[in-house]
Amino acid sequence: MTAISVEETFHAYEAARHRLPPISTDSRTYKTVETLADVADDFDVFFLDAFGVLNIGDTAISGTSQRIMDLKAAGKRVLVVSNAARSPHATLIKKYTRLDYDFAPEDVITSRATLLAEMNGELGMHWGLMATRSIGLQDLEGLSLTYLEENPALYDTVDGLLLIGSAAWTDARQALLEDALAKRMRPVLVGNPDIVAPREKGFSTEPGHFAHRLADGTKVVPKFFGKPFTNIFDLAFKRIGPVDRARALMVDDSLHTDILGAQTAGIASALISDYGFFAGHDVPHAIARSGIVPDYVVCRP
């Protein structure tokens, strides 16, 4: 866990803007509403972020489970679209079930799944893996992998790098990785573009943070999978089939990943203000500073 503040994180995202999709240049305004019930009639598909919408860390956000049941009862399609690359898919489903969320496995679309879906042409490579060893390699069985830890020699032998989980990552490992890439450039695929994620106390530092450090310190150009990039939305729409994108809404807690991602995908967006990234902070000021404008600001799901 890190003591990084919302202000510091905001600056970090702003510093990385040149690697993110461009913002909409249209003049935009947003409407403030209390809950998703206030906009339910306007949309048929609800894409929900996880952190800041369903849960904070391992704690469910009160009332969200009932809101989802109400939306489904009204005939809405409700899916999770999350930059969750660290955990295997089955682990996430168990977590959501434990938190009283009833999602079918196919209705949870993650940046981990997005990464794997787009790696089919690169399965013959040997990958160095940023991940927590204790979590295991479920979903990754078809890949040739080596955990990147303290052995410098391993960093030189791999053909490319997969950054999917940074809970066990250290500055020492980051230095080894940067040194290895300075000696020989290789592809770097990032399974979670988030710089931080909100937890019960503070923020966790996510793979996006280390990927941007790599890009700043070397000539590497990371390839990101997940919000704000369109690849995760392409997978989500492929999963649900034909749908009018004007009737789809992304619900989330972050401007630079979720709201920007929704704009890039051509769908409406709703920023949660009372939970997650901006809880207790001046949301209108952040919107004005970033220029990333949601369609709605929603107090709570």
Side-chain angles (χ1 to χ4, degrees):
M1 199 67 62
T2 177
I4 190 172
S5 67
V6 168
E7 182 67 20
E8 289 170 321
T9 301
F10 187 92
H11 281 300
Y13 276 115
E14 285 291 294
R17 282 286 283 270
H18 59 291
R19 297 189 192 101
L20 306 181
I23 64 172
S24 171
T25 57
D26 298 337
S27 178
R28 302 173 66 92
T29 59
Y30 61 88
K31 181 180 180 180
T32 300
V33 298
E34 186 66 26
T35 74
L36 293 179
D38 298 313
V39 300
D41 291 342
D42 298 325
F43 300 98
D44 300 321
V45 178
F46 288 78
F47 294 141
L48 307 183
D49 188 21
F51 286 95
V53 180
L54 301 181
N55 57 287
I56 301 296
D58 291 320
T59 303
I61 293 177
S62 177
T64 302
S65 177
Q66 184 61 52
R67 181 76 61 220
I68 292 171
M69 287 190 286
D70 292 344
L71 290 171
K72 288 182 176 180
K76 311 299 180 179
R77 187 73 187 272
V78 184
L79 303 94
V80 178
V81 177
S82 172
N83 286 354
R86 179 182 66 173
S87 298
H89 195 75
T91 301
L92 282 181
I93 298 301
K94 290 178 181 178
K95 174 181 178 177
Y96 297 145
T97 300
R98 186 176 70 252
L99 296 178
D100 198 30
Y101 295 117
D102 182 21
F103 291 111
E106 62 270 20
D107 288 342
V108 177
I109 294 92
T110 65
S111 55
R112 182 187 182 99
T114 306
L115 168 68
L116 293 173
E118 296 203 16
M119 285 185 66
N120 290 336
E122 301 173 286
L123 294 180
M125 298 176 64
H126 181 61
W127 296 93
L129 184 65
M130 172 199 281
T132 303
R133 186 182 287 268
S134 61
I135 291 177
L137 297 175
Q138 188 177 358
D139 303 337
L140 309 175
E141 295 92 344
L143 301 175
S144 174
L145 299 169
T146 293
Y147 283 104
L148 296 180
E149 296 173 324
E150 275 64 50
N151 184 349
L154 296 180
Y155 290 74
D156 295 327
T157 63
V158 298
D159 302 316
L161 295 310
L162 298 183
L163 314 186
I164 66 169
S166 54
W169 199 247
T170 63
D171 285 339
R173 294 180 184 183
Q174 181 75 8
L176 290 173
L177 182 54
E178 292 182 12
D179 288 345
L181 289 172
K183 288 185 287 187
R184 179 166 64 95
M185 298 300 294
R186 281 153 285 176
V188 176
L189 309 186
V190 186
N192 181 353
D194 287 355
I195 291 177
V196 302
R199 305 284 177 173
E200 289 91 339
K201 296 180 180 179
F203 294 94
S204 59
T205 304
E206 299 299 320
H209 167 81
F210 295 103
H212 289 299
R213 278 179 58 179
L214 275 180
D216 291 337
T218 70
K219 295 181 180 180
V220 71
V221 179
K223 184 174 182 181
F224 294 93
F225 297 86
K227 300 169 293 183
F229 301 91
T230 56
N231 43 41
I232 192 169
F233 292 99
D234 292 341
L235 181 60
F237 280 111
K238 182 179 180 181
R239 193 73 59 85
I240 64 176
V243 65
D244 181 1
R245 290 199 181 203
R247 300 280 298 176
L249 180 71
M250 180 73 223
V251 184
D252 39 67
D253 73 320
S254 172
L255 290 169
H256 293 87
T257 55
D258 306 297
I259 300 299
L260 181 58
Q263 290 182 7
T264 304
I267 65 175
S269 61
L271 180 71
I272 299 295
S273 61
D274 290 7
Y275 295 87
F277 191 88
F278 288 112
H281 294 273
D282 189 340
V283 171
H285 182 58
I287 292 171
R289 287 174 63 194
S290 70
I292 303 171
V293 184
D295 295 283
Y296 301 93
V297 172
V298 183
C299 296
R300 58 178 298 125

